[in-house]
Amino acid sequence: MRILGIDPGVATIGFGVIDADRGSVRLRQYGVITTPAGIPLSSRLYQISQDMSQLLTQFTPEEMAVEELFFSKNITTGISVAHGRGVILLEAERAGVPVYEYTPMQVKQAVAGYGGAEKRQVMLMTQRLLKMKAIPRPDDAADALAIAICHGRSATSLLNMERVFDPKRYDTR
């Protein structure tokens, strides 16, 4: 299954594309979408829309995983990230790609085995799981890859009965 992981933002949006199959993951591509500072928010959102559309067309993911919003101290930053996230979700819907959302704790648990893992631990495990020579950079791209891995582990798990169980096979009528 091809998965597009997204670390949402406005100035920098991380993306990571992986192929996942029953717990194993393979790197396809990763990077960032950036928008220039100093231009109106509407222009930045339009650029994010265009770039997301291009990513979805280029990599044709079967599913997309996005980090849920996390507001810490700066609510203004959180609001602008929410605008960017909305555009990202809109483009996935437009492309017909199902979206799955994960909290930072869920991503850490899936990748590093501990929901309170340090960022460096998650980055090292991302590198190891994807058999990369170096830790992926920048951080936004590494986060997007971790989000994709989290979804890959969840979506291809044998415990995920929605994908495994076919009720027609067991219809006894």
Side-chain angles (χ1 to χ4, degrees):
M1 167 188 320
R2 172 103 8 118
I3 301 166
L4 172 60
I6 297 289
D7 182 30
V10 170
T12 307
I13 298 94
F15 73 89
V17 182
I18 66 167
D19 289 334
D21 183 28
R22 292 188 214 142
S24 72
V25 289
R26 196 168 114 220
L27 176 64
R28 284 299 191 190
Q29 185 65 269
Y30 68 96
V32 292
I33 295 169
T34 58
T35 62
I39 65 171
L41 178 60
S42 58
S43 298
R44 292 176 110 173
L45 296 175
Y46 180 76
Q47 183 177 339
I48 292 167
S49 171
Q50 297 299 301
D51 290 346
M52 280 302 302
S53 178
Q54 183 179 354
L55 276 177
L56 290 161
T57 300
Q58 181 179 351
F59 293 107
T60 59
E62 294 167 65
E63 296 178 351
M64 188 164 90
V66 181
E67 187 172 65
E68 284 187 2
L69 271 186
F70 173 72
F71 286 92
S72 55
K73 296 174 184 149
N74 190 342
I75 190 114
T76 305
T77 301
I79 290 171
S80 69
V81 170
H83 288 305
R85 192 172 179 280
V87 169
I88 291 163
L89 298 176
L90 171 68
E91 287 305 322
E93 181 68 24
R94 203 175 265 161
V97 177
V99 176
Y100 298 84
E101 300 174 40
Y102 297 93
T103 65
M105 186 178 282
Q106 288 173 309
V107 174
K108 291 174 184 181
Q109 176 70 41
V111 176
Y114 171 57
E118 302 276 331
K119 186 172 190 74
R120 178 122 175 102
Q121 291 172 297
V122 176
M123 293 172 83
L124 285 167
M125 281 305 295
T126 299
Q127 174 191 358
R128 184 172 295 152
L129 291 168
L130 294 172
K131 299 174 178 71
M132 300 173 75
K133 291 180 181 176
I135 290 175
R137 296 282 181 204
D139 288 358
D140 303 282
D143 291 346
L145 286 170
I147 294 161
I149 291 169
C150 173
H151 181 63
R153 288 184 154 193
S154 171
T156 62
S157 167
L158 291 177
L159 297 175
N160 189 335
M161 296 309 287
E162 286 180 10
R163 296 169 192 278
V164 176
F165 180 70
D166 179 1
K168 290 180 231 156
R169 282 181 60 192
Y170 301 98
D171 190 358
T172 57
R173 287 186 253 163

